[in-house]
Amino acid sequence: MSCIFCKIVAGEIPSYKVYEDEDVYAFLDIAPVNYGHTLVVSRKHFTNMEEIPENELCQLIKAVKKVGKALKDGLGVAGYNIGENNDPVAGQIIPHIHFHVMPRRADDGLRLWPQGKYEEGKAEKIAEKIRKVLL
Ligand code: 5GP
Ligand code: ZN
């Protein structure tokens, strides 16, 4: 077992736990975006969104919801971002599915990603390609 998050879940690597239940373990990110930045991970090893079964994902997202509320109530922050980097190209460094719950303060200076716009006719083509897979 070489996965860092499996080792954290097993207690082989120390972590600052904030929540756990039968399916989920949540702990402070070692390099926080803001104080309280929490990682919510499945106890079982699944790489990403495609691999994790829906029932396990439901447990994970329920825990994310609890952690978000705890960040607000416990740290007094006004809001939070939820992130899941899915695959290396999207910035996923640890290949064990996890959600980032990142507290936000009005004056924290963080900026989200830059956004662009669609040229004429592009949005319909893109939407169609996605719809074909989903419908
Ligand atoms: P990813 O880029 O895979 O979505 O995020 C991985 C996160 O895990 C990073 O934010 C990184 O700071 C955090 N991380 C990596 N190694 C450790 C560790 O050993 N302990 C803790 N608590 N966090 C870690
Ligand atoms: Zn793992």
Side-chain angles (χ1 to χ4, degrees):
M1 185 178 74
S2 63
C3 172
I4 292 176
F5 285 179
C6 281
K7 285 183 178 160
I8 287 176
V9 167
E12 291 167 19
I13 293 177
S15 65
Y16 290 100
K17 176 179 81 179
V18 299
Y19 175 78
E20 68 180 328
D21 62 33
E22 211 180 308
D23 306 291
V24 176
Y25 186 81
F27 55 99
L28 295 183
D29 193 305
I30 203 168
V33 158
N34 266 331
Y35 290 154
H37 178 170
T38 297
L39 299 174
V40 184
V41 315
S42 55
R43 283 191 181 277
K44 289 189 206 145
H45 183 97
F46 303 107
T47 306
N48 60 17
M49 273 292 180
E50 287 71 53
E51 213 180 89
I52 190 169
E54 285 183 3
N55 61 324
E56 303 272 359
L57 180 60
C58 286
Q59 299 311 312
L60 202 51
I61 204 71
K62 278 188 199 170
V64 166
K65 184 174 164 74
K66 284 182 186 162
V67 167
K69 175 97 168 76
L71 295 182
K72 277 188 161 179
D73 293 351
L75 300 181
V77 296
Y80 50 87
N81 289 107
I82 296 167
E84 193 271 327
N85 299 327
N86 207 65
D87 301 325
V89 73
Q92 185 179 13
I93 293 165
I94 310 289
H96 177 138
I97 191 167
H98 54 281
F99 283 89
H100 296 254
V101 192
M102 296 162 281
R104 295 300 305 269
R105 295 181 174 82
D107 60 353
D108 64 20
L110 290 177
R111 293 279 170 272
L112 298 183
W113 44 72
Q115 290 177 266
K117 55 184 174 187
Y118 289 102
E119 64 257 32
E120 188 66 30
K122 188 77 173 175
E124 180 49 31
K125 285 188 185 130
I126 294 291
E128 178 59 18
K129 282 186 183 176
I130 302 168
R131 269 198 304 267
K132 265 190 190 156
V133 182
L134 289 171
L135 298 177

